[in-house]
Amino acid sequence: MATNSTFQLFSSSSGVSGFFDSSTETPLPPPPPPVEVLSSEVSLNVKCSVEPVNLEDGLTLLKGRVSTKEVFGLPNSDLVPGVYEGGLKLWEGSLDLIKALQAEVQNGHLSFSGKRVLELGCGHGLPGIFAFLEGASAVHFQDFNAEVLQSLTIPNVNANLSEKLSPSKSKDASSDIVGELRFFAGDWSQVHQCLPHANKKEKDLSCSSGHSPHSGYDIVLMAETIYSISAQHNLYSLIKKCLSHPGGVVYMAAKKHYFGVGGGTRQFLSMVEKDGVMAASLVAEVADGSSNVREVWKLSI
């Protein structure tokens, strides 16, 4: 575990390997148009079972399980670029992110109380659920696929909030919660068009003039979103359209390298530093010997 170490520039001669030449990636089909998915639009034709996930300090959340074949007509696969982006799988980075957020809250470095939160590439939505349970006034969940939101995210949010907040343990906790929960589907290049607190144009975050201090999301959460080099520019551009200024922060969980697909924290942070608008600090590192090194980073203006 590492805490608040400053990101250093990665020069072209640093010897970092494992990056993938994005020019060799296969062209993707046009993305579906961005839409808001209402909580009432939950899929009734897909079975979603839930099971507990035990985290630190006695925190237990529920994770849903659905069949990729049942939802998309695809074999159980991590992802099909441009068609299905892996939202039905619970990636380990999501759990790393929650644990890091827990530590940040306990150490007094972070408070969700009254904050507007956006989770990008949400899938199960566990980090966003954690933020809501910690007092966020609004949590908006985004995923590439509307089908993921309808068959997994919304049922999983309802299951967790019913368990934590509703004494009746009803299937739909929407009548018992205080705060706003909304769901949005779309590609990172377009989804800002329907996100309520996103600017239509990329903000100039290098100066504070000309922007309402209340605009944007206070906290942006994302886990395992930077595996594709070709998508990183759109993701970073979306973050700058969405983040409140001043004071907005991003918490990002990801692998140091995504071997075979090219992305990773070093690739993404190098792009961020070259842009010169945001600073990055390492919040946590997970090197358990069973997988690639995983990290949680904090980005701020």
Side-chain angles (χ1 to χ4, degrees):
M1 181 75 69
T3 306
N4 294 333
S5 61
T6 303
F7 172 64
Q8 301 294 322
L9 173 66
F10 293 91
S11 67
S12 59
S13 60
S14 64
V16 177
S17 61
F19 295 153
F20 181 77
D21 182 0
S22 62
S23 64
T24 65
E25 293 186 3
T26 303
L28 301 179
V35 295
E36 179 172 5
V37 177
L38 302 179
S39 58
S40 60
E41 296 177 33
V42 61
S43 176
L44 301 177
N45 300 319
V46 177
K47 180 182 178 182
C48 180
S49 58
V50 295
E51 57 189 59
V53 178
N54 297 316
L55 295 151
E56 296 178 352
D57 298 319
L59 176 65
T60 298
L61 296 177
L62 300 175
K63 68 170 183 176
R65 184 184 296 274
V66 298
S67 166
T68 308
K69 184 175 183 180
E70 192 174 354
V71 177
F72 289 100
L74 298 169
N76 286 323
S77 172
D78 285 351
L79 60 90
V80 179
V83 177
Y84 161 62
E85 293 291 340
L88 298 179
K89 179 177 178 178
L90 179 60
W91 299 89
E92 54 198 356
S94 294
L95 304 183
D96 295 338
L97 180 55
I98 295 171
K99 293 174 184 177
L101 295 174
Q102 280 184 287
E104 289 283 276
V105 170
Q106 292 168 0
N107 294 335
H109 299 151
L110 173 67
S111 172
F112 286 103
S113 181
K115 300 297 178 59
R116 294 188 294 205
V117 177
L118 172 65
E119 184 180 355
L120 296 174
C122 64
H124 288 73
L126 292 183
I129 291 168
F130 174 78
F132 195 79
L133 293 174
E134 286 290 319
S137 62
V139 179
H140 294 172
F141 298 86
Q142 178 275 335
D143 200 273
F144 179 80
N145 298 106
E147 296 92 338
V148 169
L149 299 173
Q150 293 164 335
S151 64
L152 178 63
T153 313
I154 296 172
N156 204 52
V157 168
N158 283 335
N160 277 278
L161 298 188
S162 294
E163 178 72 19
K164 299 291 184 182
L165 302 180
S166 175
S168 64
K169 300 295 191 292
S170 61
K171 290 184 178 180
D172 187 349
S174 59
S175 61
D176 300 300
I177 62 177
V178 178
E180 178 182 270
L181 296 167
R182 295 173 70 177
F183 307 87
F184 301 89
D187 185 78
W188 291 326
S189 65
Q190 301 176 350
V191 74
H192 64 280
Q193 297 170 17
C194 60
L195 289 173
H197 304 306
N199 279 353
K200 303 310 177 187
K201 295 182 180 181
E202 188 174 302
K203 297 180 184 181
D204 179 8
L205 299 180
S206 60
C207 64
S208 59
S209 61
H211 297 293
S212 165
H214 301 293
S215 64
Y217 292 91
D218 303 299
I219 303 168
V220 175
L221 306 175
M222 57 186 195
E224 310 280 13
T225 54
I226 59 172
Y227 55 86
S228 170
I229 290 178
S230 63
Q232 287 184 3
H233 175 79
N234 287 336
L235 174 60
Y236 184 52
S237 179
L238 175 61
I239 289 170
K240 292 194 287 184
K241 291 185 179 99
C242 290
L243 200 61
S244 66
H245 179 50
V249 295
V250 180
Y251 282 90
M252 173 187 76
K255 294 179 175 65
K256 184 175 287 188
H257 305 294
Y258 288 90
F259 296 106
V261 289
T265 57
R266 295 302 180 268
Q267 174 78 21
F268 185 78
L269 293 170
S270 178
M271 177 184 66
V272 171
E273 189 179 37
K274 288 176 182 177
D275 184 50
V277 170
M278 304 186 76
S281 59
L282 182 63
V283 175
E285 182 179 81
V286 181
D288 55 15
S290 63
S291 63
N292 192 353
V293 175
R294 310 191 305 273
E295 299 173 330
V296 179
W297 287 82
K298 178 182 178 180
L299 309 180
S300 55
I301 299 166

